[in-house]
């Protein structure tokens, strides 16, 4: 029994010791916790006191980290940023150049704005600021030396006139026979729009931008019309319509073919890519046709009644004559429609046939020297007779050449002092003379070609 009592006494003592130990540990924990809280409180209060004149954690002003800095330290950071500032100019053709703040005496003065931000912040929230960003923006007075900037800009490659090349609008390729033109892509040059460039550089510096892309900012003089623009596509379509049209003029057995090889030389492209035809060259082309195929007012040969080949001198109103204005107008209609044409030019007047002997086989041969004429029908003389021509002595000589008869009449007799003459019909070919009436007399033969 005594042993059991002693065992219970021992257990009781151990329990009391464990209880006392637990109480001691609890008191130690409380002391530690109290110490920690005291330290945190001291740190918090110290932080409050610190952030009364320092910016809160994670404070960023105008992209400058001002966390834990005083106003003066932040101003110094602004000044340091200005001295270390670099603006990168990203240029066309993968070029890149820099403008440094130190080279242009860049200065940033935030004035009282920093003081205002500091006075408005709550230092008791500094702990919460550790977990959030405090971004601020102030109106800082940014300035630089414009003369220094001008010096820096003038030293850049992008402003060097000798290195610039101009932009070019989309254009037509060289003409290729059988196919026409192809589109030539526009060219983006490196010539700057000076006013735009200076404005963009100024704005980028004042905003402390790190990069200025000259292409995206529109600093270059770019092409007005690109290959996919409506104006360029219309230019290509119109030019190919013209040069792919063929006009074939027929002059009896002869033909004149007008195609792209010639028309391509007439193509004019205006600054707005409007395509027109060179009217001067068109006119010259028509004039050349007229020079080749007109026979009016030109000399021609004639096999006379005696079998001799004689020359009818230039003059008279008979022969082919191209109506150049109307032919030009018709030509432009063909080209505008883009449809091929085969046929004649537009004539002012025509003759019996094409060629040197355009008078055909029915005509009147008249000899002033012999005062005699021969009337041919289908190449055979069917009538001949004497006649009288103008009086050279009185200045009424008959002009030589080939003439057409303006009208025909029957049973009319030309009468004058000492002569009479019955009219005939046909075409008069004057070799060294033409038929002419004295002044005041009725002209039965009319005009001649």
């Amino acid at each position: 029994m005594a042993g059991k009592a002693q065992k219970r006494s021992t257990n009781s003592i151990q329990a009391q010791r464990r209880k006392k130990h637990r109480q001691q540990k609890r008191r130690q924990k409380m002391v530690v916790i109290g110490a920690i809280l005291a330290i945190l409180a001291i740190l918090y209060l110290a932080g409050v006191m610190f952030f009364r004149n320092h910016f809160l954690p994670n404070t960023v002003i105008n992209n400058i980290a001002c966390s834990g800095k005083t106003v003066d330290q932040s101003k110094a950071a602004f000044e340091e940023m200005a001295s270390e500032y670099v603006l990168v100019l990203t240029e066309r053709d993968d070029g890149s150049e820099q403008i440094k703040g130190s080279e242009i005496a860049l200065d940033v003065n935030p004035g009282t704005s920093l003081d205002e931000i500091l006075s408005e912040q709550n230092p008791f929230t500094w702990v919460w600021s550790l977990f959030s960003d405090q971004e601020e923006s102030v109106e800082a007075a940014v300035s630089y030396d414009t003369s220094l900037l001008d010096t820096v800009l003038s030293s850049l490659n992008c402003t060097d006139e000798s290195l610039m090349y101009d932009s070019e609008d989309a254009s037509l390729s060289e003409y290729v026979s059988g196919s026409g033109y192809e589109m030539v892509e526009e060219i983006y040059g490196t010539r700057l729009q000076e006013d735009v460039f200076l404005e963009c550089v100024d704005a980028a510096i004042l905003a402390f931008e790190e990069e200025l892309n000259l292409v995206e900012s529109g600093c270059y003089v770019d092409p007005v019309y690109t290959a996919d623009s409506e104006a360029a596509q219309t230019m290509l379509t119109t030019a190919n319509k013209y040069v792919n049209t063929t006009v074939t003029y027929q002059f009896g057995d002869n033909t004149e073919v007008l195609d792209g090889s010639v028309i391509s030389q007439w193509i004019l492209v205006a600054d707005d890519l409007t395509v027109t035809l060179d009217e001067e060259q068109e006119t010259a082309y028509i004039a050349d046709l007229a020079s080749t195929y007109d026979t009016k007012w030109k000399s021609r040969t004639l096999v006379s009644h005696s079998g001799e080949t004689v020359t009818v001198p230039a003059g008279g109103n008979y022969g082919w004559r191209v109506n150049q204005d109307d032919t030009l107008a018709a030509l432009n209609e063909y080209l505008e429609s883009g449809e091929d044409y085969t046929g004649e030019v537009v004539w002012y007047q025509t003759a019996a046939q094409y060629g040197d002997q355009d008078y055909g086989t029915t005509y009147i041969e008249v000899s002033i020297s012999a005062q005699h004429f021969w009337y041919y029908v289908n190449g055979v003389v069917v009538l001949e007779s004497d006649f009288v021509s103008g009086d050279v002595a009185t200045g009424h000589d008959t002009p030589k050449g080939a003439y057409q008869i303006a009208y025909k009449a029957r049973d009319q007799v030309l009468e004058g002092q000492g002569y009479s003459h019955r009219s005939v019909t046909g075409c008069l070919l004057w070799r060294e003379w033409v038929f002419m009436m004295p002044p005041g007399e009725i002209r039965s033969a009319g005009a001649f070609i």
Side-chain angles (χ1 to χ4, degrees), residues 125-293:
T125 62
W126 71 269
V127 175
W128 288 269
S129 298
L130 293 170
F131 307 101
S132 62
D133 294 331
Q134 312 295 320
E135 293 188 3
E136 301 286 349
S137 176
V138 299
E139 292 291 334
V142 181
S143 63
Y144 58 85
D145 189 318
T146 56
S147 62
L148 291 178
L149 177 62
D150 289 342
T151 300
V152 172
L153 293 180
S154 64
S155 68
L156 299 176
N157 289 333
C158 67
T159 62
D160 187 342
E161 286 278 346
S162 66
L163 300 178
M164 293 181 183
Y165 61 92
D166 292 321
S167 294
E168 296 180 16
D169 292 331
S171 58
L172 298 174
S173 67
E174 293 293 326
Y175 170 74
V176 177
S177 179
S179 60
Y181 296 102
E182 293 183 354
M183 183 73 75
V184 176
E185 296 284 331
E186 67 278 2
I187 295 175
Y188 288 87
T190 58
R191 185 168 301 282
L192 293 170
Q193 299 188 73
E194 185 174 352
D195 292 344
V196 176
F197 173 64
L198 294 177
E199 289 175 5
C200 289
V201 169
D202 177 70
I205 292 174
L206 296 181
F208 271 79
E209 298 288 346
E210 296 180 355
E211 179 187 12
L212 173 61
N213 189 307
L214 302 188
V215 176
E216 295 176 358
S217 300
C219 293
Y220 290 110
V221 181
D222 285 339
V224 178
Y225 300 103
T226 60
D228 58 356
S229 67
E230 182 179 355
Q233 293 297 319
T234 301
M235 170 189 67
L236 181 64
T237 300
T238 303
N240 278 331
K241 177 182 67 175
Y242 289 156
V243 298
N244 289 325
T245 300
T246 299
V247 176
T248 304
Y249 290 118
Q250 296 175 326
F251 300 89
D253 294 333
N254 296 324
T255 58
E256 296 287 343
V257 178
L258 174 63
D259 57 19
S261 62
V262 175
I263 299 172
S264 62
Q265 301 173 39
W266 301 349
I267 298 295
L268 298 177
V269 181
D271 290 341
D272 61 358
L273 303 193
T274 300
V275 176
T276 57
L277 297 169
D278 188 331
E279 188 172 344
E280 287 188 6
Q281 293 198 59
E282 285 187 283
T283 301
Y285 175 81
I286 300 299
D288 186 61
L289 289 180
S291 176
T292 301
Y293 293 102

Side-chain angles (χ1 to χ4, degrees), residues 247 249 266 277 279 282-283 285-286 322-337 341 344-346:
V247 176
Y249 290 118
W266 301 349
L277 297 169
E279 188 172 344
E282 285 187 283
T283 301
Y285 175 81
I286 300 299
V322 175
N323 185 327
Q324 298 186 40
D325 290 340
D326 287 356
T327 298
L328 175 60
L331 171 59
N332 282 326
E333 290 180 4
Y334 308 147
L335 296 177
E336 289 298 334
S337 69
Y341 170 78
E344 293 188 330
V345 297
V346 181

